[in-house]
Amino acid sequence: MAEQNTEAKLKILLKQEKIQLWNPPYTDEQNQPGTQHMKELVERYVPMLLLPEDEVGGALESIRVQALKRGNRNKTFRETNVATLELLLPRDTKKDPKMKNFLETRLDVLVQEVVDRIGDEYGLKYIKLILNGKTLCADQRLDQQGVKNHSKMMVLKVSDAEWKQQLSEEEEKKKNDNESIQRTQRGFQILSERDGSEDPHTAPFLEIADQKGNPLNIPPKEKKALILAMGLHEKGRSLMKRKQHDNALCHLLQADQQFSKCGSALLSSVDNFAVLQLDIVWCYRALEALSCLEDGRSRLQRAEECFLQCYGQQQQRLMMIKGNTGREEVLFLRLYLLQSLLSYLEGNDAQARQQLSKVESLYGRLALDSDKMAQLMSLGFTEREARLGLRACQGNLEEAAIHISNQRQERDELKDRERTKRRRRMEAISTLTGFGFSRRDAAKALHHADGDVDAAYGMLLDGQTAQTNNNTEEPISAEKLEQLMYLGFEWAVSEAALRLTGGDVQSATQMLLENRGVLSPELLSVSPPSTSSSSSSPSPEEPSTSSNSTEPGAGERRAEGHFSS
């Protein structure tokens, strides 16, 4: 890192003086250094940088050699169309951490061909290639995805466990996303397609709320992308905590792609996007891939702009919403630390020191008193509650205890409101089903009528939400089996439950939940119905999968995002 800092400073000086080390008099006809002139440069720059002569001389020679090689590669590319790509390999793959790795290839070849070459040369089985923060698609050409001569590509390893072992070799080549990402995407996609109109007792759905727990109205298209992004982001953060930064970065970049589908108005009001940018750059740091300076710098810039839009100058907007800024100040601590690191690598020591000074000042305010933490925990508060409470109240013990108690009370009140809302909804659905309508039709009508039972009854009478019953038994589809298995049920009991309920996923899920995933011999001996479920049962076409719960009464799932309001 120190060598990169020295070279960055020297490049700035050379550019200011318009010195080209690859040309005479600094390089002779045999591409050897011009000893006298190089020595004069060293003597001139040593007092400026306050570094030993050998370090300055070595850095200048390294810059000169790199420039010569780059010139030769440019010539090769012009004459043969063969580009040179720099590979940022995983740390445990590098034989010499200081040595750079390159790959020569034409740019009109498929990415998969390059992946195979890298895998064979460096003994890597499953890898992904990342360019400027985006995962390259294996079935597309390099030049179609913005790869150019001298491009830097990050090579990420994907563990064997992430891939389906039963896939054939041909299927493996076409597989772009690992099993973990696909599973996460599938779960949150199912949730994102729920609009809350289903029976809340049997069809869990995910709701996005602001920092006070109030539901947010988001356009369906953006909501789907946002939920996918938030789900992938959380999975990536979980992997970061386990130090699996390669796999974490794959998930975070997928989340970044989903966020890009959201409108600018939404992104300007949500700080989740800014936090994601910090996490991506943090993974760059952990993977020692900070040579991706351009992408890292732009991401930190976007994060800072987003924080300012969400929180306001001096975080006054956040203070109006939450009454404190303790939790969010940790985000600024990470931002300033990463900005300081990138400034240092760019050779801008003054800016690096300025950012580091902010880090030290903020860290001093956020550092917690262990005795106060112990006192709060002795009162029955969790470690997390104690930490957040002290930060929110600037270390004041009494105010922190009151703050935590108020937070608990607000959460309890929110849960009570949600329970009341669900109970009233269930009562309304039961009222409508008492008139002979199906639960699914009743739930849909209530949703369209904003909970007005009379209006919903009128809609049902008018046939606006009525569905035609299908009285023929449907074969058990693989998709329905997959939904139940995703919830954690075994294949055999999932298939049996679906047959017992005539292929009704909701009823099958409820049956398995009530029986804790085990069907008794009495249930297994019952013949499957010859028709679909009765009019008072949910529709067999209604999917029923939650993102992470198989407990009875899972009901509505709330994913609290970081939103301003």
Side-chain angles (χ1 to χ4, degrees):
M1 191 176 293
E3 293 176 358
Q4 191 171 347
N5 172 261
T6 301
E7 289 186 12
K9 292 178 184 176
L10 286 171
K11 288 178 181 179
I12 293 174
L13 292 171
L14 292 169
K15 188 175 182 179
Q16 290 174 348
E17 299 183 22
K18 299 181 179 179
I19 294 176
Q20 299 177 335
L21 294 182
W22 59 93
N23 287 331
Y26 306 102
T27 298
D28 60 24
E29 295 179 356
Q30 285 75 40
N31 288 335
Q32 296 301 310
T35 307
Q36 183 60 32
H37 290 85
M38 291 292 287
K39 184 178 180 181
E40 291 174 358
L41 280 180
V42 172
E43 292 173 350
R44 186 156 80 247
Y45 291 152
V46 162
M48 294 182 182
L49 302 181
L50 301 177
L51 293 173
E53 285 190 10
D54 58 339
E55 286 188 23
V56 176
L60 281 172
E61 177 60 13
S62 176
I63 294 172
R64 190 189 72 85
V65 171
Q66 290 176 34
L68 284 173
K69 290 181 178 180
R70 187 180 182 91
N72 291 334
R73 291 165 185 153
N74 284 335
K75 182 180 179 182
T76 301
F77 183 65
R78 287 194 302 268
E79 295 176 351
T80 65
N81 288 328
V82 175
T84 301
L85 309 178
E86 182 177 346
L87 303 179
L88 307 178
L89 296 170
R91 284 173 295 178
D92 55 0
T93 307
K94 298 179 181 178
K95 297 180 180 178
D96 183 358
K98 295 182 180 180
M99 192 172 97
K100 295 183 178 181
N101 300 92
F102 297 93
L103 178 77
E104 292 185 346
T105 179
R106 294 178 61 89
L107 298 179
D108 56 358
V109 301
L110 294 179
V111 170
Q112 185 62 54
E113 182 178 326
V114 176
V115 168
D116 293 340
R117 285 182 56 188
I118 295 173
D120 293 340
E121 185 171 349
Y122 297 100
L124 299 171
K125 190 173 183 182
Y126 299 123
I127 61 174
K128 287 190 173 185
L129 300 182
I130 309 296
L131 175 70
N132 296 329
K134 295 183 179 179
T135 304
L136 298 183
C137 298
D139 57 354
Q140 295 182 22
R141 292 177 3 179
L142 291 170
D143 53 5
Q144 291 175 333
Q145 302 183 72
V147 181
K148 301 177 181 178
N149 190 28
H150 303 303
S151 286
K152 294 181 180 180
M153 295 197 306
M154 186 186 304
V155 181
L156 290 183
K157 287 196 302 183
V158 181
S159 63
D160 293 358
E162 298 290 333
W163 297 77
K164 293 182 178 180
Q165 297 300 317
Q166 68 269 26
L167 288 177
S168 66
E169 184 176 350
E170 183 63 22
E171 289 173 325
E172 287 179 349
K173 288 183 179 180
K174 293 181 180 179
K175 190 175 178 68
N176 297 320
D177 298 318
N178 60 61
E179 181 184 358
S180 175
I181 292 178
Q182 286 185 334
R183 186 167 58 248
T184 304
Q185 283 181 321
R186 175 59 180 160
F188 281 95
Q189 183 175 0
I190 291 171
L191 289 175
S192 68
E193 292 170 353
R194 300 276 171 81
D195 59 8
S197 65
E198 301 84 358
D199 185 340
H201 188 66
T202 58
F205 69 97
L206 187 146
E207 185 175 67
I208 299 177
D210 63 17
Q211 292 162 324
K212 288 292 186 179
N214 301 310
L216 292 173
N217 292 322
I218 301 174
K221 186 176 181 181
E222 290 192 9
K223 181 180 179 181
K224 182 175 181 179
L226 183 60
I227 290 177
L228 283 170
M230 291 173 64
L232 289 164
H233 187 188
E234 286 305 311
K235 183 62 181 287
R237 290 173 67 85
S238 174
L239 291 167
M240 287 175 66
K241 292 178 181 178
R242 298 201 294 268
K243 308 299 182 183
Q244 298 177 18
H245 292 99
D246 292 77
N247 202 9
L249 185 57
C250 290
H251 285 77
L252 297 178
L253 293 176
Q254 291 280 345
D256 190 54
Q257 290 180 8
Q258 292 299 326
F259 267 122
S260 66
K261 299 177 182 178
C262 299
S264 58
L266 176 61
L267 294 183
S268 65
S269 63
V270 52
D271 70 358
N272 299 67
F273 179 65
V275 176
L276 174 63
Q277 305 310 307
L278 291 184
D279 288 336
I280 290 175
V281 181
W282 198 268
C283 280
Y284 285 169
R285 178 205 60 81
L287 295 169
E288 298 180 359
L290 284 171
S291 53
C292 303
L293 278 177
E294 185 175 347
D295 186 56
R297 173 66 69 185
S298 63
R299 289 186 183 279
L300 293 184
Q301 181 66 32
R302 289 198 293 271
E304 187 170 23
E305 292 173 354
C306 185
F307 283 141
L308 289 176
Q309 290 174 333
C310 290
Y311 304 153
Q313 294 290 340
Q314 305 301 319
Q315 304 179 36
Q316 77 273 14
R317 192 177 178 195
L318 184 64
M319 284 292 295
M320 292 173 61
I321 298 172
K322 295 184 62 180
N324 66 82
T325 62
R327 188 173 182 179
E328 283 70 21
E329 283 188 324
V330 177
L331 300 176
F332 283 94
L333 181 70
R334 294 178 64 201
L335 174 66
Y336 297 151
L337 182 60
L338 290 171
Q339 287 177 333
S340 174
L341 181 58
L342 290 186
S343 295
Y344 176 75
L345 293 175
E346 291 175 337
N348 193 338
D349 288 5
Q351 189 173 10
R353 282 193 294 268
Q354 181 182 2
Q355 296 299 108
L356 196 57
S357 176
K358 291 183 181 180
V359 172
E360 292 173 345
S361 174
L362 192 52
Y363 182 77
R365 296 204 307 269
L366 294 174
L368 301 175
D369 188 322
S370 58
D371 291 336
K372 292 180 179 180
M373 286 280 293
Q375 290 182 57
L376 287 174
M377 292 172 67
S378 68
L379 295 175
F381 300 128
T382 66
E383 180 183 355
R384 182 175 183 274
E385 287 177 324
R387 183 177 68 253
L388 296 178
L390 285 170
R391 285 177 176 164
C393 300
Q394 288 77 48
N396 188 300
L397 183 63
E398 294 182 358
E399 290 183 6
I402 296 173
H403 173 78
I404 298 171
S405 298
N406 290 339
Q407 290 285 305
R408 284 187 170 184
Q409 183 178 351
E410 288 180 6
R411 287 196 297 269
D412 290 341
E413 290 175 354
L414 176 62
K415 289 179 181 177
D416 288 340
R417 290 198 302 269
E418 290 177 345
R419 279 194 290 266
T420 300
K421 177 182 175 182
R422 285 198 296 270
R423 186 183 68 252
R424 290 175 178 172
R425 182 176 174 77
M426 292 299 296
E427 291 173 353
I429 291 175
S430 297
T431 299
L432 293 173
T433 55
F435 290 107
F437 301 111
S438 72
R439 297 183 68 85
R440 178 178 182 274
D441 290 346
K444 286 287 185 183
L446 273 173
H447 176 69
H448 291 299
D450 294 326
D452 188 324
V453 179
D454 293 335
Y457 180 69
M459 290 181 181
L460 291 168
L461 288 179
D462 293 339
Q464 292 183 17
T465 60
Q467 301 292 329
T468 303
N469 290 327
N470 181 6
N471 295 320
T472 60
E473 180 183 1
E474 295 182 4
I476 304 303
S477 69
E479 182 180 0
K480 292 180 180 180
L481 274 172
E482 181 184 349
Q483 291 181 29
L484 291 179
M485 292 170 67
Y486 176 79
L487 287 171
F489 300 120
E490 297 293 334
W491 179 87
V493 293
S494 298
E495 184 184 38
L498 285 169
R499 293 194 181 282
L500 286 169
T501 57
D504 187 334
V505 177
Q506 285 187 321
S507 299
T509 302
Q510 193 66 24
M511 176 184 290
L512 292 171
L513 289 175
E514 290 173 352
N515 290 277
R516 298 185 179 277
V518 179
L519 297 183
S520 64
E522 291 79 7
L523 285 174
L524 291 173
S525 64
V526 177
S527 301
S530 58
T531 63
S532 62
S533 55
S534 65
S535 62
S536 62
S537 300
S539 165
E541 296 301 320
E542 186 63 26
S544 175
T545 303
S546 91
S547 61
N548 55 4
S549 175
T550 58
E551 299 175 357
E556 180 181 51
R557 286 268 166 200
R558 177 178 296 275
E560 179 180 345
H562 299 278
F563 290 87
S564 60
S565 61

